[in-house]
mmCIF file of all heavy atoms in Angstrom:
data_model
loop_
_atom_site.group_PDB
_atom_site.id
_atom_site.type_symbol
_atom_site.label_atom_id
_atom_site.label_comp_id
_atom_site.label_asym_id
_atom_site.label_seq_id
_atom_site.Cartn_x
_atom_site.Cartn_y
_atom_site.Cartn_z
ATOM 1 N N ALA A 21 -2.939 4.471 9.665
ATOM 2 C CA ALA A 21 -4.295 3.961 9.971
ATOM 3 C C ALA A 21 -5.023 4.847 10.990
ATOM 4 O O ALA A 21 -6.238 4.770 11.136
ATOM 5 C CB ALA A 21 -4.262 2.533 10.485
ATOM 6 N N MET A 22 -4.254 5.698 11.694
ATOM 7 C CA MET A 22 -4.862 6.622 12.681
ATOM 8 C C MET A 22 -5.393 7.836 11.944
ATOM 9 O O MET A 22 -4.768 8.328 11.024
ATOM 10 C CB MET A 22 -3.806 7.001 13.697
ATOM 11 C CG MET A 22 -3.272 5.877 14.517
ATOM 12 S SD MET A 22 -1.892 6.336 15.571
ATOM 13 C CE MET A 22 -2.614 7.573 16.583
ATOM 14 N N ASP A 23 -6.544 8.323 12.437
ATOM 15 C CA ASP A 23 -7.182 9.498 11.760
ATOM 16 C C ASP A 23 -6.275 10.713 11.741
ATOM 17 O O ASP A 23 -6.217 11.393 10.715
ATOM 18 C CB ASP A 23 -8.482 9.828 12.465
ATOM 19 C CG ASP A 23 -9.600 8.825 12.174
ATOM 20 O OD1 ASP A 23 -9.515 8.192 11.092
ATOM 21 O OD2 ASP A 23 -10.492 8.698 12.989
ATOM 22 N N ARG A 24 -5.572 10.975 12.808
ATOM 23 C CA ARG A 24 -4.718 12.142 12.853
ATOM 24 C C ARG A 24 -3.652 12.131 11.772
ATOM 25 O O ARG A 24 -3.443 13.101 11.063
ATOM 26 C CB ARG A 24 -4.093 12.238 14.251
ATOM 27 C CG ARG A 24 -3.130 13.371 14.420
ATOM 28 C CD ARG A 24 -2.589 13.376 15.823
ATOM 29 N NE ARG A 24 -1.642 14.490 15.959
ATOM 30 C CZ ARG A 24 -0.952 14.709 17.025
ATOM 31 N NH1 ARG A 24 -1.139 13.986 18.098
ATOM 32 N NH2 ARG A 24 -0.135 15.738 17.085
ATOM 33 N N HIS A 25 -2.933 11.009 11.652
ATOM 34 C CA HIS A 25 -1.846 10.933 10.677
ATOM 35 C C HIS A 25 -2.397 10.784 9.242
ATOM 36 O O HIS A 25 -1.786 11.262 8.318
ATOM 37 C CB HIS A 25 -0.905 9.768 11.030
ATOM 38 C CG HIS A 25 -0.335 9.926 12.381
ATOM 39 N ND1 HIS A 25 0.502 11.004 12.706
ATOM 40 C CD2 HIS A 25 -0.409 9.200 13.500
ATOM 41 C CE1 HIS A 25 0.878 10.897 13.984
ATOM 42 N NE2 HIS A 25 0.316 9.795 14.495
ATOM 43 N N HIS A 26 -3.556 10.111 9.125
ATOM 44 C CA HIS A 26 -4.182 9.985 7.826
ATOM 45 C C HIS A 26 -4.547 11.359 7.291
ATOM 46 O O HIS A 26 -4.340 11.669 6.110
ATOM 47 C CB HIS A 26 -5.407 9.092 7.936
ATOM 48 C CG HIS A 26 -6.005 8.750 6.600
ATOM 49 N ND1 HIS A 26 -6.966 9.483 6.027
ATOM 50 C CD2 HIS A 26 -5.741 7.733 5.737
ATOM 51 C CE1 HIS A 26 -7.310 8.944 4.845
ATOM 52 N NE2 HIS A 26 -6.562 7.877 4.661
ATOM 53 N N GLU A 27 -5.030 12.224 8.152
ATOM 54 C CA GLU A 27 -5.426 13.577 7.744
ATOM 55 C C GLU A 27 -4.173 14.359 7.334
ATOM 56 O O GLU A 27 -4.209 15.165 6.377
ATOM 57 C CB GLU A 27 -6.175 14.266 8.841
ATOM 58 C CG GLU A 27 -6.661 15.659 8.484
ATOM 59 C CD GLU A 27 -7.379 16.368 9.605
ATOM 60 O OE1 GLU A 27 -7.464 15.830 10.718
ATOM 61 O OE2 GLU A 27 -7.884 17.469 9.336
ATOM 62 N N GLN A 28 -3.096 14.214 8.083
ATOM 63 C CA GLN A 28 -1.881 14.956 7.756
ATOM 64 C C GLN A 28 -1.341 14.559 6.396
ATOM 65 O O GLN A 28 -0.754 15.411 5.711
ATOM 66 C CB GLN A 28 -0.816 14.672 8.832
ATOM 67 C CG GLN A 28 -1.102 15.312 10.151
ATOM 68 C CD GLN A 28 -0.114 14.903 11.245
ATOM 69 O OE1 GLN A 28 0.605 13.890 11.103
ATOM 70 N NE2 GLN A 28 -0.047 15.632 12.320
ATOM 71 N N LEU A 29 -1.478 13.327 6.007
ATOM 72 C CA LEU A 29 -0.912 12.839 4.736
ATOM 73 C C LEU A 29 -1.854 13.073 3.566
ATOM 74 O O LEU A 29 -1.413 13.376 2.464
ATOM 75 C CB LEU A 29 -0.578 11.348 4.852
ATOM 76 C CG LEU A 29 0.626 11.040 5.720
ATOM 77 C CD1 LEU A 29 0.786 9.540 5.884
ATOM 78 C CD2 LEU A 29 1.879 11.607 5.125
ATOM 79 N N THR A 30 -3.171 12.938 3.791
ATOM 80 C CA THR A 30 -4.096 12.975 2.643
ATOM 81 C C THR A 30 -4.987 14.203 2.654
ATOM 82 O O THR A 30 -5.562 14.528 1.604
ATOM 83 C CB THR A 30 -5.011 11.723 2.643
ATOM 84 O OG1 THR A 30 -5.814 11.752 3.817
ATOM 85 C CG2 THR A 30 -4.178 10.471 2.570
ATOM 86 N N GLY A 31 -5.165 14.856 3.789
ATOM 87 C CA GLY A 31 -6.088 15.963 3.878
ATOM 88 C C GLY A 31 -7.512 15.558 4.134
ATOM 89 O O GLY A 31 -8.361 16.388 4.330
ATOM 90 N N VAL A 32 -7.782 14.272 4.112
ATOM 91 C CA VAL A 32 -9.129 13.733 4.429
ATOM 92 C C VAL A 32 -9.240 13.549 5.914
ATOM 93 O O VAL A 32 -8.351 12.978 6.540
ATOM 94 C CB VAL A 32 -9.342 12.387 3.671
ATOM 95 C CG1 VAL A 32 -10.698 11.811 3.995
ATOM 96 C CG2 VAL A 32 -9.195 12.580 2.188
ATOM 97 N N ARG A 33 -10.335 14.066 6.500
ATOM 98 C CA ARG A 33 -10.475 14.082 7.957
ATOM 99 C C ARG A 33 -10.410 12.650 8.561
ATOM 100 O O ARG A 33 -9.758 12.460 9.545
ATOM 101 C CB ARG A 33 -11.743 14.730 8.334
ATOM 102 C CG ARG A 33 -11.835 15.060 9.793
ATOM 103 C CD ARG A 33 -12.808 16.208 9.957
ATOM 104 N NE ARG A 33 -12.863 17.013 11.149
ATOM 105 C CZ ARG A 33 -11.895 17.654 11.761
ATOM 106 N NH1 ARG A 33 -10.682 17.478 11.398
ATOM 107 N NH2 ARG A 33 -12.137 18.408 12.765
ATOM 108 N N GLU A 34 -11.155 11.720 8.057
ATOM 109 C CA GLU A 34 -11.178 10.339 8.574
ATOM 110 C C GLU A 34 -10.850 9.337 7.500
ATOM 111 O O GLU A 34 -11.284 9.439 6.367
ATOM 112 C CB GLU A 34 -12.563 10.062 9.137
ATOM 113 C CG GLU A 34 -12.948 10.798 10.401
ATOM 114 C CD GLU A 34 -14.243 10.349 10.974
ATOM 115 O OE1 GLU A 34 -14.786 9.298 10.550
ATOM 116 O OE2 GLU A 34 -14.778 11.048 11.813
ATOM 117 N N ALA A 35 -10.112 8.325 7.927
ATOM 118 C CA ALA A 35 -9.821 7.234 7.008
ATOM 119 C C ALA A 35 -11.061 6.330 6.889
ATOM 120 O O ALA A 35 -11.701 6.059 7.921
ATOM 121 C CB ALA A 35 -8.638 6.409 7.536
ATOM 122 N N PRO A 36 -11.383 5.864 5.684
ATOM 123 C CA PRO A 36 -12.492 4.959 5.592
ATOM 124 C C PRO A 36 -12.231 3.671 6.407
ATOM 125 O O PRO A 36 -11.065 3.245 6.502
ATOM 126 C CB PRO A 36 -12.553 4.636 4.078
ATOM 127 C CG PRO A 36 -11.781 5.715 3.421
ATOM 128 C CD PRO A 36 -10.791 6.225 4.408
ATOM 129 N N PRO A 37 -13.275 3.036 6.983
ATOM 130 C CA PRO A 37 -13.039 1.896 7.857
ATOM 131 C C PRO A 37 -12.336 0.750 7.129
ATOM 132 O O PRO A 37 -11.489 0.073 7.734
ATOM 133 C CB PRO A 37 -14.469 1.492 8.235
ATOM 134 C CG PRO A 37 -15.269 2.748 8.091
ATOM 135 C CD PRO A 37 -14.648 3.506 7.005
ATOM 136 N N ALA A 38 -12.642 0.503 5.841
ATOM 137 C CA ALA A 38 -11.979 -0.585 5.121
ATOM 138 C C ALA A 38 -10.484 -0.297 4.963
ATOM 139 O O ALA A 38 -9.669 -1.203 5.155
ATOM 140 C CB ALA A 38 -12.638 -0.770 3.761
ATOM 141 N N ARG A 39 -10.135 0.931 4.679
ATOM 142 C CA ARG A 39 -8.714 1.286 4.530
ATOM 143 C C ARG A 39 -7.988 1.166 5.858
ATOM 144 O O ARG A 39 -6.887 0.721 5.966
ATOM 145 C CB ARG A 39 -8.562 2.659 3.939
ATOM 146 C CG ARG A 39 -7.087 3.036 3.754
ATOM 147 C CD ARG A 39 -6.916 4.404 3.203
ATOM 148 N NE ARG A 39 -7.549 4.535 1.916
ATOM 149 C CZ ARG A 39 -7.818 5.677 1.294
ATOM 150 N NH1 ARG A 39 -7.470 6.829 1.867
ATOM 151 N NH2 ARG A 39 -8.397 5.713 0.131
ATOM 152 N N ARG A 40 -8.677 1.589 6.918
ATOM 153 C CA ARG A 40 -8.082 1.542 8.269
ATOM 154 C C ARG A 40 -7.779 0.090 8.666
ATOM 155 O O ARG A 40 -6.712 -0.212 9.146
ATOM 156 C CB ARG A 40 -9.055 2.163 9.245
ATOM 157 C CG ARG A 40 -8.450 2.363 10.634
ATOM 158 C CD ARG A 40 -9.382 3.022 11.601
ATOM 159 N NE ARG A 40 -9.780 4.312 11.117
ATOM 160 C CZ ARG A 40 -11.036 4.770 11.179
ATOM 161 N NH1 ARG A 40 -11.977 4.042 11.694
ATOM 162 N NH2 ARG A 40 -11.339 5.951 10.722
ATOM 163 N N ARG A 41 -8.736 -0.807 8.374
ATOM 164 C CA ARG A 41 -8.510 -2.242 8.688
ATOM 165 C C ARG A 41 -7.357 -2.796 7.850
ATOM 166 O O ARG A 41 -6.519 -3.547 8.357
ATOM 167 C CB ARG A 41 -9.804 -3.040 8.456
ATOM 168 C CG ARG A 41 -10.654 -3.142 9.687
ATOM 169 C CD ARG A 41 -11.871 -4.033 9.455
ATOM 170 N NE ARG A 41 -12.964 -3.091 9.194
ATOM 171 C CZ ARG A 41 -13.714 -3.033 8.103
ATOM 172 N NH1 ARG A 41 -13.549 -3.873 7.154
ATOM 173 N NH2 ARG A 41 -14.649 -2.141 7.935
ATOM 174 N N LEU A 42 -7.344 -2.433 6.580
ATOM 175 C CA LEU A 42 -6.288 -2.957 5.713
ATOM 176 C C LEU A 42 -4.897 -2.453 6.191
ATOM 177 O O LEU A 42 -3.971 -3.246 6.250
ATOM 178 C CB LEU A 42 -6.544 -2.470 4.278
ATOM 179 C CG LEU A 42 -5.447 -2.839 3.253
ATOM 180 C CD1 LEU A 42 -5.385 -4.338 3.081
ATOM 181 C CD2 LEU A 42 -5.701 -2.139 1.952
ATOM 182 N N LEU A 43 -4.810 -1.185 6.519
ATOM 183 C CA LEU A 43 -3.534 -0.660 6.987
ATOM 184 C C LEU A 43 -3.113 -1.285 8.306
ATOM 185 O O LEU A 43 -1.907 -1.534 8.496
ATOM 186 C CB LEU A 43 -3.633 0.847 7.138
ATOM 187 C CG LEU A 43 -3.622 1.680 5.830
ATOM 188 C CD1 LEU A 43 -4.051 3.092 6.085
ATOM 189 C CD2 LEU A 43 -2.275 1.561 5.178
ATOM 190 N N ARG A 44 -4.030 -1.559 9.183
ATOM 191 C CA ARG A 44 -3.693 -2.207 10.457
ATOM 192 C C ARG A 44 -3.174 -3.624 10.195
ATOM 193 O O ARG A 44 -2.172 -4.062 10.779
ATOM 194 C CB ARG A 44 -4.903 -2.259 11.379
ATOM 195 C CG ARG A 44 -5.203 -0.937 12.006
ATOM 196 C CD ARG A 44 -6.448 -0.999 12.871
ATOM 197 N NE ARG A 44 -6.790 0.280 13.402
ATOM 198 C CZ ARG A 44 -7.951 0.576 13.975
ATOM 199 N NH1 ARG A 44 -8.850 -0.352 14.073
ATOM 200 N NH2 ARG A 44 -8.189 1.794 14.413
ATOM 201 N N CYS A 45 -3.878 -4.348 9.312
ATOM 202 C CA CYS A 45 -3.433 -5.721 8.996
ATOM 203 C C CYS A 45 -2.028 -5.719 8.339
ATOM 204 O O CYS A 45 -1.166 -6.528 8.706
ATOM 205 C CB CYS A 45 -4.441 -6.413 8.095
ATOM 206 S SG CYS A 45 -5.983 -6.786 8.923
ATOM 207 N N VAL A 46 -1.840 -4.802 7.390
ATOM 208 C CA VAL A 46 -0.551 -4.759 6.713
ATOM 209 C C VAL A 46 0.538 -4.384 7.703
ATOM 210 O O VAL A 46 1.644 -4.922 7.678
ATOM 211 C CB VAL A 46 -0.610 -3.744 5.554
ATOM 212 C CG1 VAL A 46 0.795 -3.388 5.041
ATOM 213 C CG2 VAL A 46 -1.477 -4.267 4.453
ATOM 214 N N GLY A 47 0.255 -3.448 8.604
ATOM 215 C CA GLY A 47 1.232 -3.033 9.627
ATOM 216 C C GLY A 47 1.636 -4.160 10.540
ATOM 217 O O GLY A 47 2.802 -4.359 10.797
ATOM 218 N N VAL A 48 0.660 -4.919 10.978
ATOM 219 C CA VAL A 48 0.937 -6.056 11.850
ATOM 220 C C VAL A 48 1.762 -7.138 11.126
ATOM 221 O O VAL A 48 2.724 -7.672 11.627
ATOM 222 C CB VAL A 48 -0.368 -6.660 12.432
ATOM 223 C CG1 VAL A 48 -0.100 -7.975 13.099
ATOM 224 C CG2 VAL A 48 -0.971 -5.669 13.417
ATOM 225 N N LEU A 49 1.381 -7.392 9.870
ATOM 226 C CA LEU A 49 2.119 -8.388 9.092
ATOM 227 C C LEU A 49 3.565 -7.970 8.821
ATOM 228 O O LEU A 49 4.499 -8.762 8.903
ATOM 229 C CB LEU A 49 1.413 -8.687 7.772
ATOM 230 C CG LEU A 49 0.086 -9.436 7.901
ATOM 231 C CD1 LEU A 49 -0.576 -9.530 6.536
ATOM 232 C CD2 LEU A 49 0.333 -10.847 8.460
ATOM 233 N N LEU A 50 3.764 -6.673 8.556
ATOM 234 C CA LEU A 50 5.138 -6.187 8.327
ATOM 235 C C LEU A 50 5.957 -6.259 9.589
ATOM 236 O O LEU A 50 7.157 -6.576 9.533
ATOM 237 C CB LEU A 50 5.104 -4.745 7.774
ATOM 238 C CG LEU A 50 4.707 -4.631 6.329
ATOM 239 C CD1 LEU A 50 4.458 -3.160 5.973
ATOM 240 C CD2 LEU A 50 5.766 -5.215 5.408
ATOM 241 N N LEU A 51 5.360 -5.964 10.732
ATOM 242 C CA LEU A 51 6.092 -6.025 11.990
ATOM 243 C C LEU A 51 6.444 -7.517 12.313
ATOM 244 O O LEU A 51 7.544 -7.787 12.787
ATOM 245 C CB LEU A 51 5.306 -5.433 13.127
ATOM 246 C CG LEU A 51 5.252 -3.894 13.131
ATOM 247 C CD1 LEU A 51 4.319 -3.449 14.243
ATOM 248 C CD2 LEU A 51 6.623 -3.308 13.308
ATOM 249 N N ALA A 52 5.530 -8.426 12.006
ATOM 250 C CA ALA A 52 5.844 -9.838 12.208
ATOM 251 C C ALA A 52 6.942 -10.305 11.273
ATOM 252 O O ALA A 52 7.822 -11.079 11.617
ATOM 253 C CB ALA A 52 4.576 -10.675 12.022
ATOM 254 N N ALA A 53 6.893 -9.784 10.025
ATOM 255 C CA ALA A 53 7.886 -10.143 9.049
ATOM 256 C C ALA A 53 9.273 -9.597 9.386
ATOM 257 O O ALA A 53 10.301 -10.141 8.968
ATOM 258 C CB ALA A 53 7.513 -9.663 7.617
ATOM 259 N N ALA A 54 9.337 -8.533 10.180
ATOM 260 C CA ALA A 54 10.618 -7.949 10.545
ATOM 261 C C ALA A 54 11.433 -8.910 11.444
ATOM 262 O O ALA A 54 12.652 -8.793 11.491
ATOM 263 C CB ALA A 54 10.369 -6.605 11.292
ATOM 264 N N ALA A 55 10.751 -9.796 12.148
ATOM 265 C CA ALA A 55 11.469 -10.739 13.006
ATOM 266 C C ALA A 55 12.120 -11.865 12.191
ATOM 267 O O ALA A 55 13.095 -12.482 12.688
ATOM 268 C CB ALA A 55 10.518 -11.332 14.039
ATOM 269 N N VAL A 56 11.612 -12.135 11.018
ATOM 270 C CA VAL A 56 12.084 -13.311 10.238
ATOM 271 C C VAL A 56 13.543 -13.209 9.886
ATOM 272 O O VAL A 56 14.297 -14.180 10.150
ATOM 273 C CB VAL A 56 11.194 -13.506 8.987
ATOM 274 C CG1 VAL A 56 11.762 -14.577 8.082
ATOM 275 C CG2 VAL A 56 9.774 -13.833 9.400
ATOM 276 N N PRO A 57 14.043 -12.093 9.318
ATOM 277 C CA PRO A 57 15.483 -12.068 8.995
ATOM 278 C C PRO A 57 16.390 -12.232 10.226
ATOM 279 O O PRO A 57 17.462 -12.831 10.136
ATOM 280 C CB PRO A 57 15.743 -10.717 8.365
ATOM 281 C CG PRO A 57 14.414 -10.116 8.126
ATOM 282 C CD PRO A 57 13.384 -10.894 8.855
ATOM 283 N N CYS A 58 15.954 -11.681 11.341
ATOM 284 C CA CYS A 58 16.758 -11.808 12.586
ATOM 285 C C CYS A 58 16.804 -13.234 13.070
ATOM 286 O O CYS A 58 17.861 -13.731 13.445
ATOM 287 C CB CYS A 58 16.151 -10.897 13.678
ATOM 288 S SG CYS A 58 16.230 -9.162 13.248
ATOM 289 N N VAL A 59 15.673 -13.946 13.017
ATOM 290 C CA VAL A 59 15.618 -15.318 13.475
ATOM 291 C C VAL A 59 16.439 -16.208 12.505
ATOM 292 O O VAL A 59 17.131 -17.103 12.950
ATOM 293 C CB VAL A 59 14.172 -15.821 13.606
ATOM 294 C CG1 VAL A 59 14.110 -17.334 13.822
ATOM 295 C CG2 VAL A 59 13.472 -15.073 14.689
ATOM 296 N N TRP A 60 16.391 -15.921 11.207
ATOM 297 C CA TRP A 60 17.199 -16.675 10.248
ATOM 298 C C TRP A 60 18.677 -16.513 10.501
ATOM 299 O O TRP A 60 19.488 -17.420 10.374
ATOM 300 C CB TRP A 60 16.911 -16.256 8.836
ATOM 301 C CG TRP A 60 15.672 -16.900 8.208
ATOM 302 C CD1 TRP A 60 15.035 -18.015 8.638
ATOM 303 C CD2 TRP A 60 15.027 -16.456 7.014
ATOM 304 N NE1 TRP A 60 13.955 -18.246 7.815
ATOM 305 C CE2 TRP A 60 13.932 -17.327 6.851
ATOM 306 C CE3 TRP A 60 15.204 -15.413 6.155
ATOM 307 C CZ2 TRP A 60 13.048 -17.204 5.760
ATOM 308 C CZ3 TRP A 60 14.314 -15.282 5.098
ATOM 309 C CH2 TRP A 60 13.283 -16.152 4.906
ATOM 310 N N THR A 61 19.070 -15.284 10.821
ATOM 311 C CA THR A 61 20.501 -14.977 10.953
ATOM 312 C C THR A 61 21.070 -15.412 12.318
ATOM 313 O O THR A 61 22.134 -15.987 12.375
ATOM 314 C CB THR A 61 20.748 -13.466 10.747
ATOM 315 O OG1 THR A 61 20.231 -13.079 9.482
ATOM 316 C CG2 THR A 61 22.195 -13.134 10.824
#
């Protein structure tokens, strides 16, 4: 979601705002989901 890494992967200088928001939301949800298996176990 960061411009620097987005450019390294895609070659596009800036990530579109909608994609940036989507990637941030997905990232936060995946990090929250990472705690679930640990809490279950």
Side-chain angles (χ1 to χ4, degrees):
M22 297 172 60
D23 287 334
R24 178 180 179 182
H25 301 298
H26 188 269
E27 182 180 6
Q28 289 174 342
L29 290 172
T30 64
V32 178
R33 193 156 197 50
E34 290 186 14
R39 182 180 299 166
R40 189 178 302 136
R41 269 184 260 121
L42 176 67
L43 286 167
R44 286 178 184 167
C45 290
V46 168
V48 168
L49 289 174
L50 284 170
L51 286 175
V56 172
C58 296
V59 170
W60 277 344
T61 303

